[in-house]
């Protein structure tokens, strides 16, 4: 009998690209709140979601992951990855939610876990300024005046870049946040005559548990989206950059709420 939570499924089941949940995550984030053209933002929303304010947030994240065994981080290439996530504010049945039109990662394991959850992951290259536990000209302070940068490149083209100068601590997370994020799980059909009838097409909501946050630092920010031959991120180019943030957080994922069959 072959086993495994995700493909490939094999006799021992250890080759599966995504292991059985729960999935545990810890990450350090550089985030930037921005406003986009409200009509452009609304055009990205799937059926079932209503436009909100056109507000968005870009999250550049350095992650470390483990399954329930907790041993992946001892083999860092299995555990570590970088990710850039773009969220748009929206409403579901009148309640505020976040929707992700684009997300890029640099590890196939993360890509598979994301597709299972409905995150529309693609491969890309994210780099983020690191801080260290000692003063140096080679690293910023995590405190007033600390300067951090992040970049996203996709298929050999730079797609986005951000800079944040920390000013003060805050109790508020960037908005929109991951809380109540809504995704679309979509898997197309290849059978002739059914190409427009997907095998899976669902509106789902992220569920996380054991969520923890470090101190949250807030400051001034810049955010730039670059044109690309076919990727449409620049349609959401910021009309206003609101604020930047840096913090760490941890969470566990092992559940999903199905909102609507599309």
């Amino acid at each position: 009998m072959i086993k495994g939570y995700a493909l490939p499924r094999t006799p021992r089941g250890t080759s599966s690209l995504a292991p059985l949940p729960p999935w545990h995550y810890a990450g350090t984030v550089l985030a930037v709140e921005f406003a986009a053209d409200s009509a452009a933002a609304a055009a990205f929303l799937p059926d079932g979601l209503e436009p909100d304010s056109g507000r968005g947030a870009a999250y550049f994240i350095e992650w470390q992951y483990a399954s329930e065994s907790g041993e992946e981080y001892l083999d860092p290439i299995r555990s570590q990855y970088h990710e850039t996530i773009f969220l748009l504010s929206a409403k579901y049945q009148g309640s505020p939610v976040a929707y992700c039109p684009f997300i890029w990662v640099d590890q196939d394991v993360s890509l598979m876990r994301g597709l299972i959850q409905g995150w529309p992951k693609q491969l890309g290259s994210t780099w983020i300024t690191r801080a260290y536990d000692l003063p140096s000209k080679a690293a910023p302070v995590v405190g007033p005046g600390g300067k951090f940068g992040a970049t996203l490149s996709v298929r050999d083209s730079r797609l986005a870049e951000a800079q944040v100068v920390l000013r003060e601590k805050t109790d508020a997370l960037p908005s929109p946040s991951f809380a109540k994020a809504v995704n679309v799980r979509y898997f197309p059909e290849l059978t002739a005559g059914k190409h427009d009838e997907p095998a899976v097409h669902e509106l789902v909501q992220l569920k996380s548990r054991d969520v923890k946050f470090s101190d949250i630092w807030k400051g001034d920010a810049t955010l730039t989206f670059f044109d690309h031959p076919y990727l449409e991120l620049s349609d959401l180019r910021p009309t206003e950059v609101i604020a930047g943030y840096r913090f760490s957080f941890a969470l566990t994922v092992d559940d999903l709420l199905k909102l609507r069959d599309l």
Side-chain angles (χ1 to χ4, degrees):
M1 175 182 287
I2 59 172
K3 297 178 287 187
Y5 179 70
L7 297 174
R9 303 180 75 242
T10 54
R12 285 187 286 132
T14 60
S15 300
S16 179
L17 194 53
L20 193 72
W23 304 324
H24 307 282
Y25 302 88
T28 297
V29 181
L30 196 71
V32 179
E33 294 175 322
F34 66 95
D37 177 82
S38 57
F44 280 87
L45 299 181
D47 291 343
L49 294 187
E50 307 160 15
D52 191 10
S53 60
R55 188 162 175 155
Y59 292 82
F60 303 87
I61 311 175
E62 199 168 49
W63 286 110
Q64 188 156 284
Y65 149 86
S67 66
E68 190 66 3
S69 71
E71 296 180 351
E72 284 86 354
Y73 61 73
L74 298 178
D75 184 8
I77 197 167
R78 295 179 62 200
S79 177
Q80 295 175 4
Y81 63 101
H82 297 78
E83 187 164 57
T84 301
I85 305 172
F86 297 94
L87 296 180
L88 296 175
S89 59
K91 290 184 178 180
Y92 176 71
Q93 296 184 344
S95 297
V97 297
Y99 174 70
C100 176
F102 294 111
I103 176 171
W104 282 274
V105 296
D106 59 4
Q107 284 274 25
D108 57 359
V109 178
S110 170
L111 187 144
M112 174 60 84
R113 288 193 306 263
L115 295 179
I116 291 168
Q117 298 174 74
W119 295 107
K121 295 194 178 187
Q122 302 178 71
L123 292 178
S125 177
T126 297
W127 291 90
I128 309 165
T129 303
R130 292 174 178 166
Y132 292 87
D133 295 331
L134 75 173
S136 171
K137 291 287 285 183
V141 297
V142 182
K147 296 181 180 180
F148 292 80
T151 63
L152 167 67
S153 296
V154 180
R155 298 169 193 145
D156 292 334
S157 295
R158 180 161 293 192
L159 200 56
E161 62 184 27
Q163 292 189 4
V164 175
V165 181
L166 304 182
R167 299 299 183 197
E168 59 190 2
K169 289 184 181 180
T170 179
D171 293 327
L173 290 167
S175 178
S177 71
F178 291 92
K180 298 184 179 179
V182 170
N183 294 332
V184 173
R185 281 170 30 99
Y186 186 95
F187 195 84
E189 177 65 73
L190 186 57
T191 304
K194 294 187 176 182
H195 295 172
D196 59 349
E197 301 175 18
V200 177
H201 195 188
E202 302 171 335
L203 197 68
V204 298
Q205 191 165 50
L206 178 70
K207 291 183 70 175
S208 303
R209 60 179 174 88
D210 301 332
V211 182
K212 307 177 186 71
F213 292 94
S214 69
D215 290 340
I216 303 168
W217 283 89
K218 183 178 181 179
D220 305 321
T222 62
L223 179 65
T224 304
F225 297 168
F226 299 98
D227 290 332
H228 190 278
Y230 47 87
L231 295 172
E232 299 164 66
L233 179 65
S234 60
D235 291 358
L236 297 171
R237 184 174 280 116
T239 58
E240 179 188 3
V241 177
I242 300 166
Y245 298 79
R246 186 185 186 275
F247 57 94
S248 295
F249 72 119
L251 71 156
T252 294
V253 173
D254 58 3
D255 198 2
L256 197 66
L257 178 62
K258 182 176 175 179
L259 299 178
R260 181 174 171 184
D261 191 331
L262 298 174

